[in-house]
Amino acid sequence: MEPLIGRALGQSRRAANVSVTRRGFLTVGVGAVAAVALTSCTSPPRYVSPTGAPVQQTELARAGTGRVTSVDLVAAPSQIDLAGTLASTWSFGPVPATTIRLTAGDTLRANVRNRLPSDTSVHWHGLALRNDMDGVPGATQAPIGAGADFRYEFVTERPGTYWFHPHVGAQLDRGLFGALIIDDPVEPLAYDEEWVVILDDWMDGVTGTPDDVLEELRGGMGGMMGGGASHMMMGARSDLLGGDAGDVSYPYFLINGRPAADPAAFSGAPGQRVRIRFINAGSDTAFRVALGGHRLTITHTDGFPISPVDGDAVLIGMGERYDVLVTLGDGVFPLVGSAEGKDDRAFAIVRTGTGEAPLASATIPELDGVVITAEALTAAERVTLPARGVDRELTATLSGSMMAYDWAINGRRFDPADPLAGALGVRQGERVKLRIQNTTQMWHPFHLHGHTYQHTGGGPRKDTSIVLPGQSLSVEFDADNPGLWAAHCHNIYHAEAGMMTLLGYQTA
Ligand code: C2O
Ligand code: CU
């Protein structure tokens, strides 16, 4: 297990306090995380601490309902049943975890008990929450040690489809994830049924563990030439993803924890309108999702509404979510997540009438119909960022290669021992424009914590966006949630190899 950055943060704090004392500042502790180098002549930026006053003030300003939803999350070794094959994994009980559901404005209190033989944490993906509850060891908290407990407690702000997973090592590629659905107290959409559909690529306990995968990938092409490669995937190609589709070969693709040979089943009645909330919990796989015999009306991405768009399929990168509406036909239909560029698929059944279930290998014309991607989308008016001038422009240049496995941001591989090195700085209240520039030959699902930016030019509000090879994506957001926020590729192997940085709020 990597020590991650908890230790480094501790060191920074101690060092900061020494410097602070020596200089007689009174702002001890809060806001002092980055004050390590105060003794050098050029004073480096100082950042708001995850427990600092600005974070607390921002949380107090969240108009909560005062209602509390309490959940217990016990992370422990377990087994997943893959159509009769039992595989050892780590999970919060079932895979995926039981969906957590509450209404916007309510407080989530999650009592996490770590019964794993490793540090862990829980990150609430997509939420603009108080920074010290964001679950990134070293940036926002110390890791939850083996056998230890930790209570997350925060006010939720916005309705939408979110999810949770650890932010330690490659644990994301185990069974430690679940959906977090925040209901809108005044839901504007009308529908009869709602399904949560979690897509995942699965290898844990079957071909090894995610740590084995990471080790092999880190060895780069050398390991593969040596003949020891068992996880590395070569030749995964996708036009939609601009070329190389992924690094890792998976024996299973799952919908709600079930493989095609023992598919998840959804039922409804013909004519019913269903809201499907798709979540890609994969680590190295984008899914092209379709429901055979149906059109999809895409209504949300990453929890935020868009001007609805119809299509036959939708492309979902790791970490992304899409909500769609479908009007159910009469019969039995295949719900598929085609593993983009990997020649395999996640598969489930939708049943509204009698008939034979389709085969997992069934041809699904919708997969080759109109495939919606984020570029085709426009934010709904009510969530469009109000027009204003940009106060700060930042660039995140993504670099690295599969060969060297040296994925990085702005030329720097994230260093858990020095987490603030290379951090992107903003100040509270600014309108920030971030240009994500992909100089690599591979696509990356870029994710920013704690904010939901808008693709420039009126695009969708999102927190995770596919950036194609050789291209750049510009997004804007308001710096209204102070703290230290991870920004990284949501390919867990790229992130662990170093394609991660922090966005920090500088103190005035
Ligand atoms: Cu799903 Cu750093 O996040
Ligand atoms: Cu990546």
Side-chain angles (χ1 to χ4, degrees):
M1 204 50 258
E2 303 243 349
L4 275 159
I5 18 187
R7 197 174 295 159
L9 181 66
Q11 283 163 358
S12 302
R13 280 220 177 103
R14 280 193 300 277
N17 286 343
V18 170
S19 306
V20 164
T21 311
R22 200 184 290 154
R23 294 211 161 195
F25 287 130
L26 293 174
T27 53
V28 180
V30 296
V33 172
V36 192
L38 269 181
T39 44
S40 75
C41 352
T42 55
S43 89
R46 304 171 75 240
Y47 296 99
V48 170
S49 143
T51 51
V55 174
Q56 291 172 29
Q57 282 154 13
T58 305
E59 179 72 349
L60 283 175
R62 288 188 175 102
T65 61
R67 272 193 311 260
V68 178
T69 294
S70 281
V71 296
D72 290 313
L73 289 175
V74 183
S78 66
Q79 290 196 312
I80 182 173
D81 181 346
L82 299 162
T85 302
L86 291 181
S88 296
T89 189
W90 296 351
S91 64
F92 300 111
V95 179
T98 306
T99 296
I100 298 176
R101 187 148 205 148
L102 63 169
T103 299
D106 292 0
T107 293
L108 179 61
R109 178 182 297 154
N111 302 302
V112 176
R113 281 181 280 157
N114 179 8
R115 302 300 175 257
L116 303 170
S118 159
D119 289 350
T120 194
S121 75
V122 178
H123 167 58
W124 312 93
H125 182 123
L127 294 197
L129 45 46
R130 57 179 299 161
N131 187 235
D132 55 345
M133 293 292 131
D134 195 45
V136 180
T140 67
Q141 68 171 99
I144 309 171
D149 299 347
F150 187 87
R151 173 181 284 184
Y152 291 90
E153 185 162 334
F154 53 87
V155 177
T156 61
E157 208 169 65
R158 294 267 196 170
T161 303
Y162 303 97
W163 63 300
F164 57 95
H165 62 76
H167 224 283
V168 171
Q171 288 179 14
L172 174 67
D173 210 7
R174 299 191 186 248
L176 295 159
F177 57 84
L180 170 57
I181 308 300
I182 303 184
D183 285 310
D184 191 332
V186 285
E187 175 59 56
L189 286 185
Y191 44 89
D192 306 305
E193 290 274 349
E194 190 196 302
W195 304 336
V196 175
V197 173
I198 306 186
L199 300 141
D200 190 32
D201 44 18
W202 191 277
M203 54 74 54
D204 192 28
V206 181
T207 53
T209 69
D211 295 332
D212 300 332
V213 175
L214 186 59
E215 192 185 314
E216 181 180 310
L217 292 170
R218 274 186 170 145
M221 225 52 101
M224 205 198 74
M225 301 310 178
S230 48
H231 307 292
M232 208 182 279
M233 175 145 205
M234 302 303 299
R237 310 286 305 174
S238 158
D239 288 345
L240 265 188
L241 295 173
D244 188 354
D247 299 343
V248 181
S249 145
Y250 286 91
Y252 292 100
F253 294 95
L254 310 180
I255 286 181
N256 291 355
R258 303 177 71 151
D262 178 25
F266 300 88
S267 56
Q272 272 186 334
R273 215 148 104 109
V274 182
R275 178 183 194 161
I276 311 181
R277 300 175 184 262
F278 290 107
I279 300 169
N280 183 348
S283 286
D284 180 71
T285 307
F287 289 96
R288 190 191 297 211
V289 173
L291 173 57
H294 293 76
R295 294 273 285 173
L296 310 174
T297 301
I298 292 113
T299 62
H300 295 71
T301 183
D302 295 357
F304 279 63
I306 53 165
S307 302
V309 168
D310 286 354
D312 297 304
V314 58
L315 179 71
I316 313 183
M318 295 83 83
E320 287 188 289
R321 289 89 66 213
Y322 280 89
D323 292 16
V324 310
L325 288 175
V326 293
T327 302
L328 294 176
D330 189 354
V332 192
F333 307 95
L335 176 65
V336 292
S338 172
E340 187 66 22
K342 293 188 175 182
D343 197 28
D344 202 348
R345 58 173 63 162
F347 172 83
I349 299 280
V350 170
R351 184 181 285 278
T352 67
T354 51
E356 287 272 300
L359 293 176
S361 57
T363 301
I364 318 256
E366 285 79 6
L367 288 173
D368 298 309
V370 175
V371 183
I372 303 298
T373 59
E375 301 92 84
L377 307 177
T378 307
E381 214 177 295
R382 65 185 188 279
V383 298
T384 294
L385 284 186
R388 67 174 270 198
V390 168
D391 302 301
R392 188 184 296 267
E393 299 203 22
L394 298 171
T395 301
T397 299
L398 313 180
S399 63
S401 74
M402 169 85 178
M403 184 76 81
Y405 229 72
D406 55 351
W407 307 110
I409 295 180
N410 291 337
R412 193 186 290 270
R413 296 171 75 166
F414 187 73
D415 179 2
D418 192 9
L420 285 163
L424 301 166
V426 298
R427 281 182 195 272
Q428 189 165 353
E430 289 177 338
R431 169 64 58 88
V432 182
K433 181 171 182 172
L434 171 63
R435 187 158 168 268
I436 308 148
Q437 190 174 6
N438 182 356
T439 66
T440 79
Q441 294 184 43
M442 190 174 179
W443 73 286
H444 304 279
F446 186 86
H447 173 47
L448 173 63
H449 287 210
H451 304 76
T452 299
Y453 49 71
Q454 181 169 16
H455 288 201
T456 54
R461 294 286 299 272
K462 284 183 74 58
D463 55 63
T464 311
S465 301
I466 291 174
V467 189
L468 295 179
Q471 302 204 354
S472 66
L473 173 73
S474 289
V475 302
E476 286 186 23
F477 62 92
D478 286 325
D480 57 4
N481 197 16
L484 293 174
W485 301 102
H488 61 91
C489 176
H490 220 284
N491 180 313
I492 190 58
Y493 299 105
H494 292 188
E496 275 304 291
M499 195 177 266
M500 166 150 150
T501 190
L502 295 178
L503 175 88
Y505 280 59
Q506 292 170 359
T507 51

